[in-house]
């Protein structure tokens, strides 16, 4: 529980997610990094390109998630720490279930966020392809015109997953492995 809490504290300082864009005109690729509290990477270049297809520009201030997420991650770090001190099945299960629900809700919110940006396009955009949406994939690869978009967890996302896995292992160990 304590290691999971420490991992979540680390998540606050590293990117959670990344979207890499590859295209012939950008052989080095473009990168969008999503931290718990900000956007980083090639945001200005991506915003410039997105303008041509009618996407809204990306600004951290436009997303409540960047304000709330650091507090939620801090809450779960504290919950895991307290659960480790209290050390009961009830607290362990509450930690696991609430963390899994949070992870699911976060991914649904991220999908909704990507959907909105990829589908609600300015009708006066310079480039219009009938029936084309520019929603990046939630996870994995998707071709968007001449750009390949690859969306995966970054180091913070992997730490987040590791924290959840540690809690799951603790639940399994505490509930299903016979104690000698």
């Amino acid at each position: 529980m304590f290691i999971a809490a420490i991992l979540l504290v680390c998540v606050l300082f590293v990117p959670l997610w990344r979207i890499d864009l590859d295209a012939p005109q950008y052989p080095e690729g473009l990168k969008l990094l999503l931290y718990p509290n900000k956007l980083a990477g090639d945001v200005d270049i991506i915003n410039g390109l997105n303008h041509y297809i009618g996407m809204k520009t990306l600004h951290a201030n436009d997303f409540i998630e960047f304000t709330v997420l650091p507090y939620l991650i801090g809450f779960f770090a504290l919950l895991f720490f307290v659960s480790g001190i209290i050390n009961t099945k009830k607290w362990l299960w509450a930690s696991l279930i609430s963390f899994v629900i949070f992870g699911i809700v976060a991914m649904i919110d991220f999908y909704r966020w990507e959907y909105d940006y990829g589908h609600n396009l300015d009708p006066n955009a310079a480039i219009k392809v009938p029936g084309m949406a520019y929603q990046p994939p939630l996870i994995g690869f998707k071709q968007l015109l001449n750009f390949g978009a690859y969306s995966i967890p970054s180091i913070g996302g992997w730490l987040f997953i590791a924290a959840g896995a540690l809690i799951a292992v603790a639940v399994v160990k505490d509930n299903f492995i016979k104690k000698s």
Side-chain angles (χ1 to χ4, degrees), residues 36 59-72 109 112-113:
H59 302 284
N61 294 340
D62 294 339
F63 300 95
I64 187 76
E65 293 87 347
F66 290 120
T67 302
V68 175
L69 193 55
Y71 294 106
L72 289 171
D109 182 60
R112 182 198 54 79
W113 185 74

Side-chain angles (χ1 to χ4, degrees), residues 50-56 119-129 134:
N50 286 347
H51 168 74
Y52 290 107
I53 59 172
M55 271 184 147
K56 295 180 274 186
H119 287 83
N120 295 324
L121 306 173
D122 181 351
N124 300 314
I127 299 173
K128 288 182 255 181
V129 178
Y134 301 97

Side-chain angles (χ1 to χ4, degrees), residues 89-126:
K89 284 184 186 202
K90 180 179 172 181
W91 277 82
L92 187 59
W93 275 102
S95 295
L96 177 65
I97 291 168
S98 60
F99 195 61
V100 168
I101 291 170
F102 171 67
I104 291 168
V105 169
M107 292 306 290
I108 291 169
D109 182 60
F110 185 44
Y111 176 84
R112 182 198 54 79
W113 185 74
E114 286 184 323
Y115 185 91
D116 180 51
Y117 268 77
H119 287 83
N120 295 324
L121 306 173
D122 181 351
N124 300 314

